[in-house]
Amino acid sequence: MMPIVDAGSGAQPTGKVARPLVAKLVAMMLLEFAVFGSWFATLGLVLSTHGAASVIGQAYFLSAIAAIVSPLFMGAVGDRFLAPRNLLSLLHLASAAIITAIPSALQGGDLTLTLVLIFCNMLFFQPTLGMVNAIALVELGEHQRIFPYIRVFGPLGWALAGICVGALGLSSSTGVFYFAAASSTALALVAQTLPKRPPPSVDSHFSLGDLVGARAFVLFRNRGFAVLMFCALLTSISLGIYNTFASPYLAALGIKNVAGVLAMGQLSELVFIVTIPFALSRIGMKWSLLLGMGLWGVRFALFILAAHGLLGAAYLSVIMHGICSDYFIVVAAMFIARCATPDLAAQAQSWLVLMISGFGAAIGSASSGKIFAAFVAPNAASGAVAWTPLLLLPLCLGAITCAVWIVLFPSARNSEADSVRPTAPLGGAGC
């Protein structure tokens, strides 16, 4: 059973988190990722099934561009004009309305309109990925150490959505878009049950810079935050490469049930995410984040070993997705919550989405596509070994990330001096 008291060490928070609030936050997190997992994972299959294989790359690239364009803007709107729960509801209702229009456009063969609708849908959806983290962390207050136990329902929602889509026979069908729309609508309703809070910056003066989240730039005065954003960018390039080419690479290794093998990675998230409070209390936030980011290089080293005959290394690499994702994304969100004042909470979390789903995903997909075309495709006859040049890029990025992180990220001794908002370090290193 999920604990509802803080599990950390050091000064303990007083009181408990109300169980009804925990249940609402759990439902919010589960539905958020059910929306994403119901269609995004099989988008390429749906497009190819309906004669749109030629635009698969463009669809994923546009999704990354949407993650660059919208999160900071929507974060500024959330911090200024709308209550967080109301903005979350409106964004999901808009997303639901747009995504239900995709099937008719795709079935009608209008690929341009299909891409426009996918882009517009992601403009509304991408900001919500950071928003649910911000809402949960604000509501938990001094009990933020139990955030991983709530965040664990994110990958669970993704997995359950995939299972439902598969059981209903919708994996390659446009029905996945209707499933996503229904999940978005449900989340919009759940959001309205959350505590009613005013916009955190409702009384502040509005400027044009707020349209691009310029006020959040103050966070980069914090060395820890700035280093985290740079390392998150490097790490998310590797994540973008994995999302783009993991499935064809596993197929090149001769693995038949690629979807089933990749699902092992999602399931491993459920295991590793609940270990985060323990890791924070034992090794601290700096080293927990290093673990999550540095192991991305190890994953691709294992992929290279698999290409040279050690097939079991590929399975181990996929299973490591849980610790790499949880200790990178979830712990980073917790760290950012320590950096940002309440009036910047939404914009601060949006920076993480911007780096991971935006710049990182775009650079990762674009660079890996060029390497694939230049080195892998021309030598496809040699089998999985031909993928080595592509796999070396994230391995090198992982080494660079570790070096930058160890040298530049502040330790517990000087983290408070570097902070935007002085506070007690969380698990060893904080803002």
Side-chain angles (χ1 to χ4, degrees), residues 24-94:
K24 293 171 185 177
L25 295 177
V26 163
M28 175 188 72
M29 202 66 69
L30 188 146
L31 287 169
E32 173 74 16
F33 286 86
V35 173
F36 209 11
S38 63
W39 71 279
F40 196 72
T42 60
L43 175 60
L45 178 60
V46 174
L47 291 175
S48 61
T49 301
H50 291 81
S54 61
V55 300
I56 292 176
Q58 297 175 54
Y60 281 98
F61 184 75
L62 286 173
S63 297
I65 296 301
I68 295 173
V69 173
S70 65
L72 288 179
F73 170 74
M74 290 299 179
V77 171
D79 286 337
R80 180 79 56 173
F81 299 111
L82 292 174
R85 70 173 194 175
N86 291 340
L87 180 59
L88 183 63
S89 290
L90 288 174
L91 289 175
H92 269 284
L93 288 175

Side-chain angles (χ1 to χ4, degrees), residues 283-299:
I283 63 175
M285 186 163 281
K286 176 176 181 176
W287 303 107
S288 295
L289 280 165
L290 176 66
L291 190 65
M293 295 185 291
L295 286 179
W296 275 97
V298 176
R299 294 188 72 189

Side-chain angles (χ1 to χ4, degrees), residues 226-246:
V227 174
L228 174 62
M229 289 300 103
F230 179 72
C231 290
L233 174 63
L234 295 181
T235 304
S236 57
I237 293 173
S238 299
L239 175 59
I241 295 172
Y242 180 84
N243 288 338
T244 304
F245 284 108

Side-chain angles (χ1 to χ4, degrees), residues 302-324:
L302 290 171
F303 270 161
I304 293 175
L305 290 177
H308 290 80
L310 192 60
L311 188 60
Y315 291 93
L316 179 58
S317 178
V318 172
I319 292 172
M320 285 176 63
H321 183 77
I323 190 169
C324 290

Side-chain angles (χ1 to χ4, degrees), residues 142 144 222 334-341 412 414-431:
E142 60 184 357
Q144 290 183 3
N222 175 352
M334 296 176 71
F335 174 81
I336 291 171
R338 301 287 289 184
C339 294
T341 51
N414 58 14
S415 61
E416 187 174 64
D418 258 345
S419 67
V420 171
R421 178 171 61 99
T423 185
L426 177 60
C431 278

Side-chain angles (χ1 to χ4, degrees), residues 118-174:
I118 290 174
F119 177 68
C120 291
N121 170 68
M122 294 303 274
L123 282 176
F124 289 104
F125 176 78
Q126 287 284 16
T128 66
L129 290 171
M131 195 172 298
V132 293
N133 287 339
I135 290 173
L137 288 163
V138 168
E139 294 300 334
L140 290 174
E142 60 184 357
H143 300 276
Q144 290 183 3
R145 286 184 183 275
I146 71 168
F147 174 69
Y149 297 107
I150 292 173
R151 182 59 172 73
V152 72
F153 286 87
L156 179 60
W158 182 296
L160 289 176
I163 292 172
C164 290
V165 164
L168 294 171
L170 301 176
S171 296
S172 60
S173 166
T174 55

